Amino acid sequence: MTNIDTQRLPIGVFDSGVGGLSVLKILQEQFPNEDFIYIGDNANNPVGNRPTEEITEIACRIAETLHQLPVKLMVIACNTFTVVALDEVRSRVNVPVIGVSQGVKTAIRESNSNTIGIMATVATVNSHIHKHVAMEIDHEVFVWEQPCPELAGLIEQGHLQDDAVREAAKDYLAPMLERDIDVVVLGCTHFPFVRSVLQELSGDSIRYIDPAYETSDLVKRTMDSNNLHNPSTKQGHSTLYFTKDIVLGADLGAQFLDTDNFSVELICLLYTS
């Protein structure tokens, strides 16, 4: 395959369900001439409470499926997959693989009290990746890690504004409001879809950081260094694949993505070797 052929390949983006669409939205805005293939493995969602071996195997199945399509670069648009399976995914494919950023640098910069919160799945919190990164940036910063075991699953079921997601969000926000934490990183790509609910519940007390912007910056640097930018001047197209239910993905896509330039289909994942 020539370099120009590689440049014209799509960028692969994947998640455990619909959450990664929040990352895809930012990538579409930053790279309007690129094509994207998105895989959301909602048949296996949620993954954040599973053993690490299962999480790794699920992530690798998605990555190997994308690799066969093929794509020129992969973005793991899932914090849990990133902290648990990034190294293994990179070992199984021969294209650049970028994990979702932590958003910690932005959070520390924007905090007025040098205290930040992390809302994430149990697996991500247990990895303490956000805290480790924060300590490297500023060893005096206070980091509150808030596990949110039910939130991603609720969002995956379509609970975006109702009482179920509000009650869960209240429980997760309470410890951070008690500690006067003023900046919170949305450490799961599902969480930006309920950002308005979180903001309503916390008022002006908390600012929320979406790490997708830092991730997009890393994608740009990787594409620059590997000469992967698509030379086309046409607007790109996104194909969204889901392994189970395409309804929520189609609904969220219609709300958040360019409705003229994406399609939604079912897909069966490859079995890993």
Side-chain angles (χ1 to χ4, degrees), residues 103-111 115-117 183-185 209 214:
V104 171
K105 185 176 181 180
T106 302
I108 292 174
R109 185 176 66 244
E110 294 197 7
S111 175
T115 61
I116 66 172
V183 176
V184 169
V185 174
I209 303 300
E214 287 187 15

Side-chain angles (χ1 to χ4, degrees), residues 47 50-60 81 84-85 88 92 272:
V47 300
R50 293 175 183 253
T52 57
E53 295 80 6
E54 282 187 36
I55 295 171
T56 299
E57 189 58 30
I58 292 168
C60 288
F81 283 159
V84 173
E88 183 64 24
R92 298 203 195 184
T272 55

Side-chain angles (χ1 to χ4, degrees), residues 71 95 101 111 131 167 192:
V71 295
V95 298
S101 298
S111 175
K131 192 167 188 175
E167 288 304 312

Side-chain angles (χ1 to χ4, degrees), residues 85-156:
L86 177 59
D87 290 341
E88 183 64 24
V89 168
R90 283 176 169 164
S91 74
R92 298 203 195 184
V93 299
N94 60 6
V95 298
V97 181
I98 297 169
V100 70
S101 298
Q102 285 79 42
V104 171
K105 185 176 181 180
T106 302
I108 292 174
R109 185 176 66 244
E110 294 197 7
S111 175
N112 295 320
S113 59
N114 213 30
T115 61
I116 66 172
I118 311 297
M119 296 180 68
T121 65
V122 172
T124 299
V125 167
N126 287 345
S127 75
H128 304 295
I129 183 63
H130 293 85
K131 192 167 188 175
H132 294 325
V133 172
M135 291 297 106
E136 291 177 359
I137 297 171
D138 182 352
H139 68 277
E140 294 183 351
V141 68
F142 174 80
V143 181
W144 178 265
E145 299 170 296
Q146 180 60 50
C148 306
E150 305 299 329
L151 197 53
L154 286 169
I155 294 167
E156 197 67 34

Side-chain angles (χ1 to χ4, degrees), residues 22-271:
S22 66
V23 178
L24 178 61
K25 176 181 185 295
I26 304 303
L27 293 174
Q28 283 183 324
E29 293 171 356
Q30 298 299 313
F31 309 103
N33 301 325
E34 297 289 346
D35 295 324
F36 293 91
I37 293 178
Y38 178 92
I39 295 181
D41 186 15
N42 48 357
N44 285 305
N45 187 279
V47 300
N49 303 325
R50 293 175 183 253
T52 57
E53 295 80 6
E54 282 187 36
I55 295 171
T56 299
E57 189 58 30
I58 292 168
C60 288
R61 285 188 66 196
I62 304 171
E64 292 187 347
T65 301
L66 271 175
H67 196 241
Q68 291 295 317
L69 289 175
V71 295
K72 62 184 175 184
L73 176 149
M74 291 185 200
V75 179
I76 304 180
C78 172
N79 296 78
T80 299
F81 283 159
T82 296
V83 301
V84 173
L86 177 59
D87 290 341
E88 183 64 24
V89 168
R90 283 176 169 164
S91 74
R92 298 203 195 184
V93 299
N94 60 6
V95 298
V97 181
I98 297 169
V100 70
S101 298
Q102 285 79 42
V104 171
K105 185 176 181 180
T106 302
I108 292 174
R109 185 176 66 244
E110 294 197 7
S111 175
N112 295 320
S113 59
N114 213 30
T115 61
I116 66 172
I118 311 297
M119 296 180 68
T121 65
V122 172
T124 299
V125 167
N126 287 345
S127 75
H128 304 295
I129 183 63
H130 293 85
K131 192 167 188 175
H132 294 325
V133 172
M135 291 297 106
E136 291 177 359
I137 297 171
D138 182 352
H139 68 277
E140 294 183 351
V141 68
F142 174 80
V143 181
W144 178 265
E145 299 170 296
Q146 180 60 50
C148 306
E150 305 299 329
L151 197 53
L154 286 169
I155 294 167
E156 197 67 34
Q157 295 166 22
H159 299 283
L160 303 179
Q161 294 279 343
D162 59 17
D163 290 341
V165 77
R166 286 175 184 276
E167 288 304 312
K170 282 181 183 177
D171 288 342
Y172 302 143
L173 286 172
M176 293 183 288
L177 289 169
E178 290 172 3
R179 288 163 177 80
D180 296 324
I181 291 169
D182 62 345
V183 176
V184 169
V185 174
L186 300 176
C188 171
T189 55
H190 283 75
F191 296 175
F193 288 117
V194 294
R195 183 173 184 165
S196 62
V197 171
L198 297 172
Q199 198 71 71
E200 178 187 328
L201 293 172
S202 61
D204 296 331
S205 301
I206 295 176
R207 294 191 300 281
Y208 296 94
I209 303 300
D210 183 352
Y213 292 94
E214 287 187 15
T215 304
S216 178
D217 290 342
L218 182 54
V219 170
K220 182 181 185 305
R221 293 196 298 272
T222 302
M223 291 177 67
D224 288 346
S225 62
N226 290 275
N227 193 24
L228 290 176
H229 289 279
N230 192 336
S232 173
T233 58
K234 296 181 180 179
Q235 185 173 10
H237 180 272
S238 295
T239 303
L240 315 182
Y241 291 107
F242 294 95
T243 55
K244 185 180 178 183
D245 178 20
I246 67 172
V247 175
L248 181 60
D251 287 346
L252 288 176
Q255 292 179 51
F256 293 98
L257 305 179
D258 187 333
T259 55
D260 294 327
N261 286 282
F262 81 91
S263 56
V264 185
E265 302 177 33
L266 285 171
I267 192 172
C268 292
L269 300 179
L270 297 175
Y271 283 96

